[in-house]
Amino acid sequence: MKLRRPLLMTCTLLFLLAECAPVDKAAEKKVEKKPKKDVQKVIKPPGKQPKPAASKPKPKATTTPSIGGPEESILSQVLQRGQFKKVGEILTVSAGDVLDLRCKGRSVRWRYPENVEEDEDGRLRIKHFERYSQLLVVNSTAADTGEYGCGSYLCDSPECHGGEERMGKTFIFITDPRELFVPTEDYYEVVQLRTNRPSLLPCQVTNPLAKVTLHREFPPEDVAVDGVHISFDVKKGFIIYRPHPSLAGSLYCMAELNGLRQISTKYMLIYVNFPSSAPKATIQSSVSSIRAGESFVVTCTVLGEPEISVDFAWEYPGQKIGRPPYVRESTNLVRRGGQMVQESESSLSVDGVRDVDEGTYTCRAQNLQGTTTVSTHVTVLPLAAAAPTRRAARTVQYKNSGK
């Protein structure tokens, strides 16, 4: 009996272990499946997937074009069909080529050298389209060298003159190996050396690479170009900033490029001492009122810079009936305030005054800078009562003494 109990207990224990084994496997399977279900819910939950954050659309970049800037210029050159190039400050084209420019915008206005406009061969052609305008110069020559430009309105309406006008310009060199200077019909050109502003010798070159110098014809010598008193602008020519009498005479420019040397038109420089302002005139009459039959003088005086010519003109009442004027003019150097000034005078004499000579006397003094007008008024008095004769006077005296 003692042996059976342990065996029975052992069998019972084995039986329980056998029954428990499948239960444990099922539990393990259930435990393994739970994480899969949980993972599926996290990764792909049906109908509850969060929407990605909507990306805000980037605002379109709007640039305000700078007027006249090369990047945003409204002026471009057509190189060939479908190829365009924004033009800069300088553009070089060979003589004989077709110059094709486009200007963006509406209501386009073109600017170009006078030689192109005055040409009678019809080489200039301008066509306006809806959003741009075209300028064509066929058979271009060295004389077409100069500044080209356009102005337009950038808007959608055909009539948009109320908007802001855009401008574009460029200087175009039409190079010709036979012409280093822009051709001109003048053999001599007169240039005034005015003391009040710079003077220009317009010897324009057709190629910006040409070396240009300045020379005097008589006596033959080189003129120094130091960049202070005189400088050279490849688009304009020589600029004389400080005119001086020593520069007066016949001057010319010389250009040299690739072994070719040419001279320009000759310029006859005339020195002009230009006034700094209009004349400062004063007027004075010898009398303010005068009796008929007498004479008077009205004087107009200008004090100004030496060597400045002054022209006088008069208006007076006697002009209405054709009274001839008696005018005398003079110019003298006088000292005023410790310095020498030029005194210019014009005197109008009126003899045998009549009633028609009463009124306003006006003097106009003019120089190269402007005109000044001054006036004065003269009154004509009636004739005095005639004086009694000697006999009548004695009679009066006698009568008076008798009383």
Side-chain angles (χ1 to χ4, degrees):
M1 293 295 292
K2 291 182 180 180
L3 292 173
R4 288 179 181 177
R5 286 182 180 179
L7 289 174
L8 181 61
M9 294 177 64
T10 301
C11 291
T12 303
L13 181 60
L14 291 173
F15 177 76
L16 291 173
L17 291 174
E19 286 184 351
C20 291
V23 174
D24 294 338
K25 289 180 180 180
E28 289 178 2
K29 288 183 180 180
K30 289 181 180 180
V31 172
E32 290 176 357
K33 289 181 180 179
K34 283 182 181 179
K36 290 183 179 180
K37 290 182 180 180
D38 294 338
V39 171
Q40 289 178 355
K41 287 181 181 179
V42 174
I43 295 176
K44 193 177 181 181
K48 292 185 179 182
Q49 185 176 0
K51 296 181 179 180
S55 59
K56 295 182 180 180
K58 295 182 180 180
K60 294 182 179 180
T62 57
T63 58
T64 303
S66 58
I67 297 177
E71 301 83 8
E72 303 294 340
S73 175
I74 60 174
L75 189 62
S76 59
Q77 179 192 12
V78 181
L79 302 178
Q80 57 184 0
R81 189 180 184 90
Q83 291 188 3
F84 302 88
K85 175 186 177 182
K86 295 290 184 180
V87 298
E89 295 183 1
I90 293 178
L91 181 64
T92 303
V93 179
S94 299
D97 292 350
V98 176
L99 178 61
D100 190 348
L101 299 178
R102 302 289 176 91
C103 186
K104 184 180 178 182
R106 299 178 184 270
S107 302
V108 175
R109 297 177 294 103
W110 287 96
R111 300 190 309 274
Y112 36 82
E114 295 181 1
N115 178 74
V116 180
E117 183 178 6
E118 296 175 355
D119 190 271
E120 299 179 355
D121 296 335
R123 298 185 302 111
L124 174 64
R125 304 171 188 176
I126 296 178
K127 297 180 180 180
H128 299 287
F129 299 91
E130 183 179 0
R131 297 185 179 276
Y132 70 93
S133 181
Q134 179 188 33
L135 180 144
L136 279 175
V137 179
V138 297
N139 297 327
S140 59
T141 66
D144 300 331
T145 298
E147 185 176 86
Y148 292 74
C150 68
S152 69
Y153 297 89
L154 295 181
C155 59
D156 296 330
S157 173
E159 298 180 357
C160 50
H161 298 283
E164 183 178 3
E165 186 177 15
R166 298 283 312 284
M167 304 295 295
K169 65 179 181 179
T170 184
F171 194 94
I172 302 179
F173 293 92
I174 313 294
T175 61
D176 188 336
R178 300 167 299 177
E179 298 284 354
L180 297 183
F181 289 104
V182 177
T184 177
E185 297 179 355
D186 299 327
Y187 181 74
Y188 264 103
E189 184 174 341
V190 177
V191 176
Q192 289 187 352
L193 293 174
R194 297 186 176 184
T195 55
N196 66 324
R197 67 182 185 188
S199 300
L200 174 66
L201 274 61
C203 49
Q204 292 182 332
V205 292
T206 61
N207 194 319
L209 302 179
K211 180 183 178 181
V212 188
T213 53
L214 185 60
H215 306 267
R216 179 182 297 278
E217 187 175 15
F218 302 108
E221 62 180 359
D222 299 341
V223 179
V225 179
D226 56 4
V228 178
H229 296 80
I230 305 176
S231 67
F232 180 72
D233 189 328
V234 71
K235 300 178 184 178
K236 299 178 181 179
F238 285 99
I239 302 174
I240 303 175
Y241 295 101
R242 300 178 183 178
H244 193 270
S246 61
L247 291 174
S250 179
L251 273 66
Y252 62 91
C253 309
M254 179 179 292
E256 186 176 0
L257 181 66
N258 298 329
L260 177 64
R261 181 180 297 178
Q262 289 183 346
I263 64 172
S264 68
T265 296
K266 295 180 181 180
Y267 301 97
M268 182 60 66
L269 276 63
I270 301 176
Y271 180 77
V272 180
N273 189 10
F274 206 85
S276 59
S277 62
K280 299 177 181 178
T282 59
I283 190 170
Q284 185 177 7
S285 175
S286 59
V287 294
S288 59
S289 61
I290 189 171
R291 293 191 181 276
E294 298 180 358
S295 302
F296 68 94
V297 178
V298 182
T299 304
C300 186
T301 305
V302 172
L303 292 177
E305 305 165 64
E307 300 181 1
I308 298 296
S309 61
V310 179
D311 296 326
F312 294 95
W314 286 95
E315 290 182 8
Y316 53 96
Q319 284 178 322
K320 299 177 181 178
I321 61 171
R323 293 263 284 171
Y326 298 96
V327 179
R328 182 177 61 86
E329 296 183 357
S330 62
T331 301
N332 298 300
L333 289 177
V334 297
R335 184 174 293 275
R336 293 287 188 275
Q339 61 180 358
M340 298 299 294
V341 296
Q342 179 175 282
E343 182 183 63
S344 303
E345 283 189 352
S346 179
S347 300
L348 175 66
S349 301
V350 181
D351 298 329
V353 174
R354 305 178 188 178
D355 293 339
V356 294
D357 295 322
E358 180 177 8
T360 300
Y361 288 76
T362 300
C363 169
R364 285 187 171 85
Q366 182 180 11
N367 61 16
L368 294 174
Q369 193 75 341
T371 304
T372 302
T373 302
V374 289
S375 301
T376 188
H377 188 84
V378 176
T379 302
V380 177
L381 302 175
L383 287 170
T389 62
R390 289 184 179 181
R391 185 175 182 180
R394 289 177 182 175
T395 303
V396 172
Q397 186 178 4
Y398 173 78
K399 288 181 178 180
N400 290 337
S401 60
K403 289 181 178 180

